[in-house]
Amino acid sequence: MKFGHFDDQRREYVITNPRTPWPWINYLGNEDFFSLISNTAGGYSFYKDAKFRRITRYRYNNVPMDNGGRYFYINDNGTVWNPGWKPCKTELDKYECRHGMNYTIITGEKNGIEAETLFFVPLKTLAEVQKVKLTNKNKEAKKIKLFSFAEWCLWNAATDMENFQRNFSTGEVEIEGSALYHKTEFKERRNHYAYYSVNVPIQGYDTDRESFIGLYNEFSEPQAVTAGKPNMSVAHGWSPIASHYIEVELQPGESKEFVFVLGYVEFESRDDKWESKGVINKKPAKETIAKFDTAAKVDAAFMELRGYWDNLLDSYVLKSGEEKLDRMVNIWNQYQCMITFNFSRSASFFESGVGRGMGFRDSNQDLVGFVHQIPPRARERIIDIASTQFPDGGCYHQYQPLTKRGNNDIGGGFNDDPMWLIFGTVAYIKESGDFSILDDMVPFDNQPGTEKTLFHHLTVSFNHVIENLGPHMLPLIGRADWNDCLNLNCFSWDPNESFQTTENNSEGSKAESLMIAGLFVVCGRDYVELCRQIGNNEEAARAEKFVNDMVEAVKKHGWDGEWYLRAYDFYGKKIGSNENKEAKIFIESQGWCTMAGIGLEEGMVKKSLDSVKKYLDCEHGIVLNNPAFTEYVVEYGEISSYPAGYKENAGIFCHNNPWVIIGETVLGRGDYAWDYFRKICPSYTEEISDLHKVEPYVYAQMIAGKDAFKPGEAKNSWLTGTAAWNYYTITQFILGIKPAYSGLEVNPCIPADWKGFEVSRKFRGATYKIEVKNSGVMKGVKKLVVNGTEVAGNIVPMQPAGSVNTVEVIMG
Ligand code: GLC
Ligand code: GLC
């Protein structure tokens, strides 16, 4: 069952039934000011950091679901309704929510009044702009009452939810004309405030929640709205809000537009905070308000935002003949990659914004999904990430975006982390050709005076693995590798302890990871190639030897007969082996060791992938391990704590399915690669939205696996490495167009019955119009013609910036 449809022309998903199986959300803003918005206008805004600068309040996992947001209430002669259906849930005559690229348009209609509400954050603006267009479709004139509503968060989203003995006394507001200001804590150390304004004179307001809603009422029955009369309340403590009251008269057929601005102001210096004693300096707020004080100005800013996205999405355009694939590659997968880049894993409807900062490994992986759109921001991100590394190559597992400092509560010791820095940096250089980044001076742990070149950071990353080898000469796992929940040195029996933060017993541990081994071979080879590119042949030779040793160690100690082992535990016992009772085979090591092609000639890659097909594949995707754990294993940790079929215990972790897909392309099995890709691709599962539950336009982190109570049910949409990995896999390995140092490599791996496809790709300033023709093979380039001239091999040589080039590829 579907709850809407794609509108590819406008790059929107159109939700036509507000009762989606889970709130289906979108993201506004792409630099500093961000908002989350659901299909019923729920959600919240924040500045840079969803924990420390939460502007509006949101209630996660509440009853009813998705409570709190920017709400417009219309009182039409006693009938009270919202354009987005919630919170009143008055049955609408028409409802539509269009989620587009960083904007959302929600339209509701009731008794001949249509309310179209547009929400977006204009470029370079610290505000969410909302345009409300009311139209009277009736034959007679109408007088209606419009109320806006936003509830302020007391800045720190974590303490906002717990420190009530203080919070209930701190709230402060100012009211001036049609602007309502949230100046809580401004008197003390803060140098920022928020405001909510509208571009017309108002007939009233409320700034105190209890006065507006009523202590025992719900969002669906605010007493001011039902009474049709605001209270002119001025909040002192308790819960400050901002609500405007506007009386609107509409002639038959008439439309009126109102512009609301929900903004944030921050002062660089404390000296200019105040206008006079106790009165905040409103100049910056007024400047922003003035920029959007007419509907025409808002429309122009909206066009600018759309133009921005046209330009970003123009850098990779596919025509495959498969509508569902094209819309993912050209629109939604790229969009999700950008959102994931901006938010890492901090704020979604599954990530509360208070739990996690930016992940070291996560952010590096996210890079491969958006680097072609805006290389300069990828560059900046790499430097930020590398600055949180330790001198020995180890890394803080997470850092906070506001301070860019590593998080001490979670610390380091995840031994896969250093490899991802190589992964991200190489992707950046191949895309941009910018080797100069390697010479940038980057500190360790953000300590001034410790700066070394970024290249040095890559060297210590590489060395970190080889300096931490275990008894089988395989990488020691540390606290965990990519799988945060495989905690081999944790041994927790205390239910009050978090698996993620508790002290690990790594001392004397023999726990080794085959996933890191495969990752090291892939990234290690990238490092070797990079060294050669910059003429450091000595370092290349040194590193290559270690990579080759790792390949041998995997062949010797990492093979179980039909597949690669997953790990060795603390005591040196096999994990992911036929000898084990449960979890005999895992996806991660099959993915990385086949991507690395370890034992290709000996048939290991084929055997491993055949075992994946046999034991891990199911209707909805590839599960993480099999059989699922049905018992808690203290030696393994969190992985065995999940019920069978969910999350890291045999769930379909969409993030790692692409590793197997890439493995299949190493083998040249384009049909298997495509089949796996399609199974988890959202536009292909749109029809089962009722089972799937989450948005059909973006990937979810996890789909319940075959052992689950409800296989096929997805969770944790939006902020997941799945976005980047699937984009990387489809564009660079299935369609096979891959940035290389010397040009664009073309090496598709597709089902034999595909006749071909076309891609327009921007690369280092030039445009390449690539046409791939296939007559019955899955892999192999027989002929490459660039601008009419045949070229040997499968690399399209770099063309001058600004040029438009034709590339013809004949597979065979
Ligand atoms: C989550 C984490 C990621 C981790 C994965 C598997 O997606 O963000 O860092 O690798 O789970 O545990
Ligand atoms: C939980 C999640 C996992 C995530 C980890 C890190 O264990 O299951 O996916 O990576 O937390 O926060």
Side-chain angles (χ1 to χ4, degrees), residues 135-187:
T135 304
N136 180 10
K137 296 183 164 177
N138 295 291
K139 297 226 158 48
E140 65 280 356
K142 278 264 193 177
K143 272 189 186 167
I144 55 175
K145 295 169 174 178
L146 175 68
F147 293 80
S148 69
F149 174 78
E151 182 180 9
W152 302 119
C153 178
L154 305 186
W155 307 120
N156 179 327
T159 57
D160 186 65
M161 290 188 290
E162 54 188 36
N163 193 6
F164 302 110
Q165 61 79 25
R166 172 178 163 84
N167 297 348
F168 287 163
S169 294
T170 56
E172 283 187 290
V173 300
E174 261 185 56
I175 299 152
E176 195 190 281
S178 300
L180 311 170
Y181 294 86
H182 165 40
K183 62 167 183 179
T184 304
E185 291 187 346
F186 196 70
K187 174 163 73 70

Side-chain angles (χ1 to χ4, degrees), residues 356 398 484-485 500 638 642 647-648 653 701:
R356 296 207 249 176
Q398 294 172 9
D484 275 334
C485 300
Q500 298 297 317
E638 186 164 359
Y642 283 114
K647 293 285 278 180
E648 279 89 340
F653 231 84
Q701 179 204 53

Side-chain angles (χ1 to χ4, degrees), residues 345 351 355-356 361-362 397-398 410 414 482-485 487 499-500 638-639 641-642 647-648 653 701 716:
R345 304 297 173 268
E351 301 279 8
R356 296 207 249 176
R361 75 157 84 90
D362 295 339
H397 196 48
Q398 294 172 9
I410 180 145
F414 294 75
W482 171 87
N483 191 331
D484 275 334
C485 300
N487 315 120
F499 288 100
Q500 298 297 317
E638 186 164 359
I639 189 167
S641 74
Y642 283 114
K647 293 285 278 180
E648 279 89 340
F653 231 84
Q701 179 204 53
N716 207 355

Side-chain angles (χ1 to χ4, degrees), residues 532-549:
R532 296 226 162 90
Q533 284 290 326
I534 59 171
N536 195 341
N537 292 325
E538 208 176 304
E539 176 63 0
R542 178 192 79 97
E544 192 162 42
K545 190 188 156 296
F546 288 111
V547 174
N548 293 339
D549 289 350

Side-chain angles (χ1 to χ4, degrees), residues 449-481:
T450 61
E451 291 81 1
K452 288 271 165 63
T453 62
L454 180 66
F455 182 74
H456 179 83
H457 281 259
L458 301 189
T459 306
V460 294
S461 295
F462 182 89
N463 290 348
H464 191 267
V465 171
I466 56 182
E467 283 161 9
N468 289 282
L469 296 178
H472 301 95
M473 300 309 279
L474 294 166
L476 288 168
I477 197 166
R479 291 165 58 106
D481 60 22

